[in-house]
């Protein structure tokens, strides 16, 4: 029997649980006392994302795009559509992050160049100060020479002309070096990290909508168990996403709240869609299988790239902050990754 008010209650419960999981790391992030807990949550979230991609989304994508209800073009002629879409999705993430990082580096380089020129009072020798001491500036070959009217030295022009345009020297205290080939990982919470966080949310959202639809059409004794499992599912995913958002800096304070709100609403939106189409919904229809399979494949590629490159690679293998941690902290963080992966693997028994 289908009970509408049960689904309405589940809709609001999922909204609160998902929003709470996402907001918790952000609330705890600014307190020195909870820093270790937040870091544990971040690495726990990395394991969650990895497990969601491998155990929750990958099998569903393969099942949908190799289903017997589909034509032979999907099942026999080329049965590898799901892995193909995942691969294209992951490579697209690489291109997006590379372009975003390149733009950020160029903008930062131009900004440093202009700042250095303004501080020296000269922009590469093309602008000259019109004052009583112009005769002291006209030649860069007269190092240290001064005119008889005053003891004025050319204001460090050699440093302006010799200053690195792209910050490759690494001496500037901006926490980001671009000279060693790991730009995407060394820049910390820069543009590319924001892009990966946004793409992480999109990947989770694509999967969460279909989870909500499945819950919205479900009836009978399985509904309660499925609801509880999805609550844990969304809470852990929220922790993973919230830990990433908490590490970023935003020009507008409204942006992180919008990201939390979007994540909190996406699964309830799926539940509402499922409730509206429960009488006509056919899980094995050709259209539904293709749409679910393609969306799950895209989400899987995004989450796998994010998990391996940004979360595990960027936060563990190539992170200077991780290397400076104590051995006990490193061990705890690595255990947290495994615990996050195992937690979502267990939840897959029900959802």
């Amino acid at each position: 029997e289908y009970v509408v008010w049960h689904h309405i209650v589940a809709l609001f419960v999922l909204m609160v649980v998902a929003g709470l999981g996402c907001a918790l790391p952000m609330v705890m992030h600014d307190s020195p006392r909870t820093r270790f807990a937040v870091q544990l949550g971040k690495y726990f979230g990395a394991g969650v994302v990895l497990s969601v991609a491998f155990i929750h989304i990958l099998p569903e994508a393969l099942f949908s795009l190799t289903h017997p209800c589909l034509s032979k073009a999907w099942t026999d002629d080329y049965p590898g559509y799901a892995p193909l879409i995942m691969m294209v999705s992951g490579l697209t993430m690489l291109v997006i992050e590379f372009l975003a990082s390149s733009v950020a580096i160029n903008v930062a380089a131009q900004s440093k160049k202009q700042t250095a020129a303004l501080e020296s009072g000269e922009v590469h020798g093309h602008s000259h100060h019109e004052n009583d001491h112009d005769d002291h500036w006209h030649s860069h070959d007269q190092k240290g020479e001064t005119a008889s009217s005053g003891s004025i030295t050319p204001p460090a022009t050699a440093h302006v002309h010799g200053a690195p345009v792209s910050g490759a020297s690494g001496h500037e205290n901006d926490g980001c070096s671009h000279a060693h080939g790991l730009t995407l990982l060394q820049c910390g919470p820069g543009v590319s990290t924001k892009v990966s966080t946004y793409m992480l949310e999109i990947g989770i959202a694509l999967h969460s909508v279909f989870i909500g639809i499945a819950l919205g059409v479900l009836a009978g004794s399985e509904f309660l168990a499925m609801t509880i499992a999805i609550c844990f599912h969304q809470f852990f995913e929220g922790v993973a996403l919230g830990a990433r958002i908490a590490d970023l800096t935003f020009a507008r304070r409204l942006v992180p709240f919008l990201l939390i709100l979007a994540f909190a609403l996406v699964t309830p939106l799926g539940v509402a869609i499922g409730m509206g189409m429960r009488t006509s919904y056919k899980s094995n229809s050709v259209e539904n299988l293709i749409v679910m399979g393609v969306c799950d494949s895209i989400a899987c590629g995004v989450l796998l790239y994010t998990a391996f490159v940004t979360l595990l690679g960027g936060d563990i293998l190539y992170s200077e902050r991780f290397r400076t941690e104590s051995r006990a902290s490193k061990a705890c963080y690595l255990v947290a990754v495994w615990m996050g992966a195992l937690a979502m693997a267990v939840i897959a028994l029900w959802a």
Side-chain angles (χ1 to χ4, degrees):
E1 183 182 359
Y2 192 93
V3 183
V4 175
W5 72 270
H6 285 178
H7 290 75
I8 295 176
V9 171
L11 186 151
F12 285 101
V13 169
L14 284 170
M15 186 187 306
V16 173
V17 169
L20 181 63
C22 195
L24 194 60
M26 300 183 65
V27 173
M28 299 171 62
H29 185 265
D30 294 331
S31 175
R33 297 180 180 179
T34 57
R35 177 189 175 277
F36 182 71
V38 172
Q39 291 298 309
L40 277 179
K42 183 174 74 172
Y43 291 103
F44 181 89
V48 167
V49 172
L50 189 64
S51 185
V52 167
F54 272 123
I55 298 177
H56 290 251
I57 305 181
L58 178 60
E60 293 181 9
L62 293 172
F63 174 81
S64 297
L65 294 184
T66 57
H67 198 278
C69 292
L70 298 180
S71 64
K72 291 184 178 180
W74 291 90
T75 58
D76 296 334
D77 295 345
Y78 190 83
Y81 279 109
L84 174 64
I85 296 172
M86 295 174 197
M87 180 182 69
V88 171
S89 175
L91 292 175
T92 303
M93 276 288 296
L94 174 65
V95 173
I96 291 173
E97 284 210 70
F98 174 76
L99 293 177
S101 179
S102 299
V103 171
I105 292 171
N106 290 335
V107 170
Q110 291 298 324
S111 177
K112 287 182 181 180
K113 183 179 178 180
Q114 293 176 2
T115 302
L118 288 175
E119 288 178 353
S120 67
E122 179 183 14
V123 182
H124 290 286
H126 295 299
S127 63
H128 299 277
H129 290 285
E130 297 180 0
N131 53 40
D132 293 337
H133 306 290
D134 277 349
D135 54 333
H136 306 295
W137 292 58
H138 72 279
S139 173
H140 297 295
D141 294 328
Q142 299 175 353
K143 296 181 180 179
E145 290 183 6
T146 57
S148 58
S149 58
S151 176
I152 301 177
T153 327
T157 19
H159 295 288
V160 177
H161 291 280
V165 175
S166 61
S169 66
H171 295 299
E172 286 77 13
N173 188 22
D174 60 355
C176 182
S177 174
H178 309 298
H180 305 292
L182 293 172
T183 302
L184 293 181
L185 301 178
Q186 288 179 334
C187 287
V191 173
S192 67
T193 312
K194 286 184 179 180
V195 170
S196 65
T197 303
Y198 298 151
M199 296 303 294
L200 172 64
E201 178 154 5
I202 291 173
I204 293 175
L206 285 173
H207 177 58
S208 297
V209 167
F210 291 107
I211 288 179
I213 293 175
L215 183 64
V217 300
L218 192 64
S221 58
E222 296 180 355
F223 175 77
L224 179 60
M226 183 76 163
T227 302
I228 294 174
I230 292 178
C231 283
F232 281 101
H233 184 282
Q234 294 304 108
F235 180 81
F236 288 148
E237 284 188 346
V239 170
L241 182 61
R244 303 307 305 175
I245 297 173
D247 268 352
L248 302 178
T249 54
F250 297 92
R252 298 179 181 178
R253 293 185 178 181
L254 185 63
V255 174
F257 294 104
L258 291 177
L259 293 174
I260 295 174
L261 182 63
F263 175 75
L265 292 177
V266 66
T267 306
L269 176 63
V271 175
I273 294 173
M275 292 174 64
M277 58 187 296
R278 66 182 185 275
T279 56
S280 59
Y281 180 78
K282 296 180 180 180
S283 59
N284 291 335
S285 67
V286 173
E287 295 81 6
N288 183 67
L289 288 171
I290 293 176
V291 171
M292 285 188 62
V294 171
C295 289
D296 279 339
S297 298
I298 294 173
C300 187
V302 170
L303 295 187
L304 284 176
Y305 177 90
T306 303
F308 282 119
V309 176
T310 306
L311 304 184
L312 299 180
D315 289 342
I316 296 178
L317 294 180
Y318 303 111
S319 173
E320 292 297 330
R321 183 168 61 180
F322 184 84
R323 293 179 183 180
T324 58
E325 297 282 358
S326 64
R327 290 185 178 180
S329 296
K330 290 178 184 177
C332 290
Y333 295 154
L334 292 175
V335 169
V337 174
W338 280 85
M339 293 302 296
L342 290 175
M344 293 306 294
V346 172
I347 290 175
L349 292 171
W350 299 278

